[in-house]
Amino acid sequence: MRIMIAGGAGYVGSHTTRLLAEAGHETWVYDNLSRGHQGAVLPGQLIRGELEDRPLLESVLREKRIEAVMHFAAFIEVGESVVDPARYYQNNLVATLSLLEAMRSVGVQRLVFSSTAATYGEPETIPIPEDTPQKPINPYGFTKLVVEHALADYAAAYNLGYAALRYFNASGASPSGQIGEDHRPESHLIPLVLQVALGQRKEIRIFGDDFPTPDGTCIRDYVHVNDIGQAHILALSRLEPGVQLKYNLGVGQGFSVRQVIDACRTVTGHPIPAVVTPRRDGDAPVLIADSTKVREELHWVPQFDQLEATVETAWRWHRSHPHGYADA
Ligand code: UFG
């Protein structure tokens, strides 16, 4: 299939693009490089542009005869979304509406959309099935939820076929070691812990150890970025005009912040000093996916179901690219 990947220079987008290309799809990356990296894109693939640039976007969709779009282009920092919500509504919502309109005017009727566990807020049921009420607690989560609603309305009214994939904690890197995670500034746990192992940070801060969990630290479901990418390919194969798919992407196992740090100690052999600091605003105590639906309906089987194996791939990337894409 001929696929345009919006945000294909970012973390999950770049990994998914490689997997799509390996699976025989024709891919083009559409990215403004505001957060993504040219080094994450295969040579000759990058079309640099804004999603709000309707003429450019429509000409790409038309000239490349695009049959499906994958949309990864978004800002993802919860804290930043609280401080500067306007950027999030503009980038994650307004730009997405522009993409949807460009697709509608050209007649592209298949979309896979990156949604998030953050749309659930602080759910009462753990693990979290897809029919859990979505009550986001920050602007980031709201922007993603509003897009999900827009997609449902576009499907009903205009026959758009879409999959909204709600990621839990995307982690790890391509086993090839060629691409990986590089956020500026970095805020995610595993890369920050590995920066301690690289000697770039003195210690890792644990944001609170007074949560209602066995060791007092937050529990998350760490799902390998390539497994997320494979789920996109499976979802794409089920998309027809008007079809609506919604799936959680998580392994279904939770690990505490302390357990993640321990896994990183095992993988790196570094003692990784840790200090406990106050909680970070907006952190839910426990987020674990119930991923039964995607496993049953799409036959998705995460290949990385052991945290240490996921951390190993991340470590391979960070060790060979200690400054991320600046080393690529
Ligand atoms: N944490 C620390 N110390 C750090 C960084 C993180 O203790 O230096 C903790 C956090 O408090 C949290 C856990 O590690 O409990 C995981 O934090 P991340 O920032 O890696 O991931 P989040 O669960 O906060 O965020 C994930 C995605 C985000 C997305 C969010 C939505 O990585 O992109 O889910 O829920 F926005």
Side-chain angles (χ1 to χ4, degrees):
M1 216 179 251
R2 290 182 296 275
I3 302 168
M4 188 188 89
I5 300 110
Y11 174 43
V12 184
S14 61
H15 286 77
T16 306
T17 304
R18 303 268 167 138
L19 296 174
L20 284 165
E22 282 166 27
H25 294 284
E26 285 182 56
T27 55
W28 288 271
V29 167
Y30 191 95
D31 201 300
N32 65 5
L33 298 185
S34 70
R35 306 261 162 131
H37 306 276
Q38 184 141 19
V41 183
L42 292 166
Q45 289 249 304
L46 181 66
I47 300 160
R48 195 167 176 174
E50 303 290 338
L51 288 176
E52 290 94 333
D53 186 345
R54 284 276 299 278
L56 177 63
L57 197 46
E58 288 183 23
S59 76
V60 171
L61 294 175
R62 226 176 247 120
E63 280 163 28
K64 306 295 186 193
R65 291 180 294 125
I66 296 296
E67 296 164 281
V69 172
M70 294 203 177
H71 178 29
F72 300 91
F75 293 156
I76 60 163
E77 298 284 332
V78 169
E80 183 185 56
S81 79
V82 175
V83 176
D84 196 359
R87 296 189 76 183
Y88 277 69
Y89 283 96
Q90 184 63 42
N91 188 64
N92 293 6
L93 179 58
V94 176
T96 299
L97 295 177
S98 171
L99 171 64
L100 292 181
E101 281 302 278
M103 289 173 64
R104 190 157 77 96
S105 79
V106 176
V108 180
Q109 287 186 297
R110 291 177 175 83
L111 176 73
V112 184
F113 172 64
S114 306
S115 189
T116 170
T119 58
Y120 294 116
E122 296 192 21
E124 282 160 24
T125 318
I126 300 289
I128 306 165
E130 285 83 356
D131 57 5
T132 303
Q134 289 173 290
K135 298 180 189 165
I137 53 172
N138 50 60
Y140 167 69
F142 268 109
T143 62
K144 291 286 184 176
L145 180 57
V146 175
V147 172
E148 282 203 25
H149 283 291
L151 295 177
D153 291 338
Y154 270 61
Y158 310 131
N159 227 15
L160 174 72
Y162 76 91
L165 302 180
R166 299 175 188 152
Y167 310 164
F168 283 65
N169 287 59
S171 43
S174 167
S176 71
Q178 288 174 347
I179 53 174
E181 191 166 6
D182 181 358
H183 295 111
R184 314 273 171 105
E186 191 52 76
S187 67
H188 295 96
L189 179 63
I190 292 174
L192 288 173
V193 175
L194 295 179
Q195 286 177 3
V196 180
L198 284 171
Q200 297 175 342
R201 282 175 195 272
K202 193 161 64 60
E203 60 201 12
I204 184 71
R205 291 180 296 157
I206 297 174
F207 295 146
D209 66 352
D210 56 352
F211 289 92
T213 62
D215 69 16
T217 66
C218 288
I219 293 178
R220 293 288 181 273
D221 185 334
Y222 294 88
V223 51
H224 195 279
V225 64
N226 269 20
D227 285 326
I228 291 180
Q230 288 296 355
H232 284 68
I233 295 174
L234 293 170
L236 179 68
S237 71
R238 299 295 175 90
L239 282 189
E240 295 296 335
V243 164
Q244 303 191 40
L245 303 173
K246 294 160 205 174
Y247 294 117
N248 285 338
L249 296 184
V251 178
Q253 292 168 31
F255 292 93
S256 72
V257 173
R258 285 197 192 280
Q259 286 176 313
V260 171
I261 297 170
D262 277 341
C264 293
R265 288 179 177 132
T266 304
V267 167
T268 64
H270 190 283
I272 307 181
V275 292
V276 176
T277 66
R279 293 183 180 195
R280 186 173 70 175
D281 275 351
D283 274 338
V286 183
L287 291 172
I288 302 172
D290 178 340
S291 51
T292 310
K293 193 169 164 234
V294 65
R295 289 171 189 263
E296 286 185 359
E297 292 184 6
L298 298 189
H299 308 296
W300 180 67
V301 182
Q303 300 301 300
F304 291 87
D305 57 359
Q306 303 293 320
L307 180 60
E308 283 178 14
T310 295
V311 170
E312 266 168 27
T313 63
W315 181 228
R316 195 173 307 149
W317 156 255
H318 288 289
R319 213 174 19 172
S320 58
H321 299 81
H323 305 289
Y325 286 100
D327 295 320

